[in-house]
Amino acid sequence: MEPIFIGKGIEYRKEFENYVQILKERLTEKRFYHSLAVAKEALRLAEKYGCDAKKAFLAGLLHDICKDDDPNLQLQLFGEFGIILDTVEKKARKLWHAIAGAAYIKEKLLLNDEEIISAVRYHTTARKGMSLLEKILYLADFTSEDRDYDGVDDMRRAVDVSLEHAMREALIFTVVDLTEKGMPVHSDTMEAYREIVK
Ligand SMILES: [Fe+2]
Ligand SMILES: [Fe+2]
């Protein structure tokens, strides 16, 4: 099952067939659908907000490429690619797929596009001084058509108002949600929060 693509999405879906096949092998069915849905939403936002549509599609497509990997495999990738986690990152397993994904795209898929790589790297935490592409991927992950959580309708409305407004809403949502669950908030997220929410 795949989302129904429209416009440029039809073209890019065909163009990146090789990556789609890799995702199909690496991901669960649900995550595979999610990845294509985020690609579709990232493309829509890129066209709306004047970002490179093809890069946004590709970043969306690949952003969770390591999410269904066993944590031990992710650790193995870090070793292989010489990535050293800091003490916070070591404890934040949810973050590993973003770090591993960025490295995988670069080292295994040999996709040498630093903008896409950093969008994937920061799609979970956000960070201070985000690029347009980074914001679009971060938000598309909240508003793709497969997403279903309390507040998703508000987020979908926010993302059509403006990127800045949606970033504020998404960061407030994340910080409140993590705090309510008693989970630590990553310093990159706090820095983004301080910069954007104020
Ligand atoms: Fe993710
Ligand atoms: Fe995702």
Side-chain angles (χ1 to χ4, degrees):
M1 272 275 285
E2 290 187 22
I4 296 162
F5 290 103
I6 49 167
K8 282 248 186 286
I10 299 169
E11 191 185 306
Y12 298 154
R13 166 65 186 81
K14 273 198 204 120
E15 184 173 342
F16 298 124
E17 176 64 29
N18 54 337
Y19 293 138
V20 172
Q21 287 311 314
I22 293 169
L23 291 169
K24 204 175 247 178
E25 280 171 29
R26 294 184 56 79
L27 302 177
T28 61
E29 217 172 301
K30 191 168 177 248
R31 188 96 54 207
F32 176 72
Y33 191 99
H34 167 71
S35 300
L36 291 161
V38 173
K40 179 179 172 180
E41 175 70 348
L43 164 60
R44 185 183 78 84
L45 296 178
E47 285 178 336
K48 186 174 169 73
Y49 293 112
C51 186
D52 186 317
K54 197 191 273 195
K55 280 193 191 203
F57 185 94
L58 196 47
L61 195 62
L62 298 174
H63 80 288
D64 274 343
I65 193 163
C66 289
K67 184 125 185 190
D68 290 330
D69 287 352
D70 186 272
N72 288 321
L73 189 68
Q74 292 172 344
L75 286 174
Q76 197 183 310
L77 273 180
F78 298 149
E80 197 179 319
F81 301 144
I83 294 166
I84 297 162
L85 302 181
D86 65 30
T87 43
V88 178
E89 287 164 351
K90 270 186 198 150
K91 287 186 210 150
R93 274 201 183 184
K94 248 194 98 177
L95 193 64
W96 291 5
H97 80 283
I99 301 171
Y104 189 95
I105 290 166
K106 189 174 186 169
E107 310 288 347
K108 298 264 190 196
L109 301 182
L110 304 176
L111 190 86
N112 257 319
D113 187 312
E114 289 301 329
E115 289 180 331
I116 292 176
I117 291 165
S118 83
V120 171
R121 171 65 183 80
Y122 294 102
H123 85 267
T124 308
T125 54
R127 66 162 166 173
K128 195 176 154 193
M130 286 169 95
S131 70
L132 183 57
L133 185 67
E134 287 172 6
K135 287 177 185 169
I136 281 174
L137 178 59
Y138 182 74
L139 292 171
D141 206 12
F142 276 88
T143 57
S144 60
E145 66 187 41
D146 62 305
R147 299 285 261 143
D148 182 20
Y149 54 88
D150 276 349
V152 71
D153 292 334
D154 291 337
M155 274 309 302
R156 290 195 176 118
R157 271 189 291 274
V159 91
D160 281 330
V161 173
S162 78
L163 277 187
E164 293 314 310
H165 174 64
M167 284 302 301
R168 280 178 60 94
E169 294 296 305
L171 285 164
I172 291 169
F173 180 91
T174 301
V175 171
V176 169
D177 187 53
L178 288 173
T179 308
E180 277 176 3
K181 288 178 181 156
M183 286 160 77
V185 181
H186 192 275
S187 58
D188 284 338
T189 309
M190 274 324 294
E191 284 177 19
Y193 181 89
R194 280 189 213 108
E195 178 187 58
I196 291 169
V197 178
K198 284 184 197 106

